[in-house]
Amino acid sequence: DSGVTQTPKHLITATGQRVTLRCSPRSGDLSVYWYQQSLDQGLQFLIQYYNGEERAKGNILERFSAQQFPDLHSELNLSSLELGDSALYFCASSVGAGQYAYNSPLHFGNGTRLTVT
Amino acid sequence: GEDVEQSLFLSVREGDSSVINCTYTDSSSTYLYWYKQEPGAGLQLLTYIFSNMDMKQDQRLTVLLNKKDKHLSLRIADTQTGDSAIYFCAENDSWGKLQFGAGTQVVVTP
């Protein structure tokens, strides 16, 4: 058990809908990362938050947004869903960011499997 | 730019050693990682190595790093059926986020 909790485990929804994925980081971790895993794109970095602030942005679509709350949990919001958004969405957490990030391994949750029909 | 490459498939007999190879491009990476993903599961951190090290051993796992060639390998000794999984190599950037390879599927046969 990595200590990172993601809910829900599975989500089935229709095109055009909006969903929210939730992540609770490991106790003491300040950084949260979101990744998307699909068969054709592999593991793609979406976005990183550190202590409530956005730190880095990757291949995140404009239809997607995220935030990290004062209690450090994070939510990833996916809107106007398309069939191609079907994927496994992972959250990871680590202790630090910035100058201390390099020695903070990422610990991953078990993911949320999103199916868009 | 950042790019991590791995071979896609490895078949190994139970009891033999497995060697999974990876090449990376970002010479500023400070740590390099190996993650394991079993079917339907998340990514499990297996081990990681600091970029100024050549080798790290952890029980059945041995990581070798050739920084000059930007080559990383993971050796699994006495491979077991429970080692069947996808193994991802990853490098970090200064903010800690990881760039992953496409993953190597390891199949262990009896």
Side-chain angles (χ1 to χ4, degrees):
Chain A
D1 182 11
S2 69
V4 179
T5 304
Q6 288 188 250
T7 57
K9 291 179 78 170
H10 301 278
L11 203 47
I12 302 174
T13 189
T15 54
Q17 295 298 304
R18 172 190 166 95
V19 296
T20 297
L21 313 183
R22 183 187 167 100
C23 169
S24 294
R26 291 190 322 159
S27 177
D29 284 359
L30 299 178
S31 271
V32 169
Y33 308 75
W34 286 97
Y35 281 82
Q36 179 194 60
Q37 185 179 36
S38 61
L39 282 173
D40 55 343
Q41 296 287 326
L43 273 160
Q44 296 287 314
F45 168 71
L46 296 178
I47 197 162
Q48 176 195 359
Y49 281 84
Y50 173 71
N51 205 19
E53 292 187 9
E54 184 183 303
R55 267 286 182 257
K57 222 168 188 176
N59 301 321
I60 188 166
L61 300 171
E62 284 190 14
R63 299 183 285 110
F64 296 179
S65 65
Q67 53 184 326
Q68 186 180 28
F69 294 87
D71 67 353
L72 300 176
H73 91 270
S74 178
E75 291 180 357
L76 178 67
N77 300 297
L78 314 176
S79 60
S80 303
L81 285 167
E82 301 174 359
L83 295 177
D85 297 327
S86 295
L88 197 48
Y89 290 84
F90 284 111
C91 169
S93 72
S94 70
V95 171
Q99 65 178 125
Y100 300 112
Y102 61 86
N103 62 356
S104 301
L106 271 64
H107 296 268
F108 283 78
N110 285 332
T112 294
R113 183 168 295 282
L114 173 67
T115 302
V116 182
T117 61
Chain B
E2 300 172 347
D3 202 10
V4 179
E5 293 188 356
Q6 304 177 237
S7 52
L8 294 182
F9 185 80
L10 177 67
S11 180
V12 61
R13 294 177 73 166
E14 194 174 6
D16 288 350
S17 292
S18 311
V19 179
I20 307 166
N21 294 302
C22 168
T23 57
Y24 62 98
T25 56
D26 189 353
S27 58
S28 65
S29 293
T30 46
Y31 280 89
L32 295 137
Y33 298 82
W34 286 103
Y35 284 84
K36 176 183 180 183
Q37 185 178 29
E38 296 183 62
L43 291 159
Q44 175 194 353
L45 176 64
L46 279 181
T47 186
Y48 57 100
I49 186 168
F50 189 45
S51 58
N52 70 352
M53 295 172 64
D54 298 325
M55 185 182 86
K56 179 179 179 181
Q57 189 151 2
D58 184 2
Q59 298 181 337
R60 292 191 298 122
L61 304 179
T62 302
V63 179
L64 294 177
L65 176 60
N66 180 330
K67 196 171 181 183
K68 174 177 166 289
D69 295 337
K70 298 191 182 69
H71 182 265
L72 181 75
S73 68
L74 174 69
R75 179 178 179 269
I76 306 172
D78 187 25
T79 311
Q80 303 298 308
T81 54
D83 295 323
S84 291
I86 301 176
Y87 290 81
F88 291 92
C89 164
E91 59 178 350
N92 72 329
D93 70 4
S94 58
W95 289 105
K97 73 172 171 65
L98 298 179
Q99 177 80 20
F100 286 89
T104 300
Q105 180 165 12
V106 174
V107 173
V108 182
T109 57

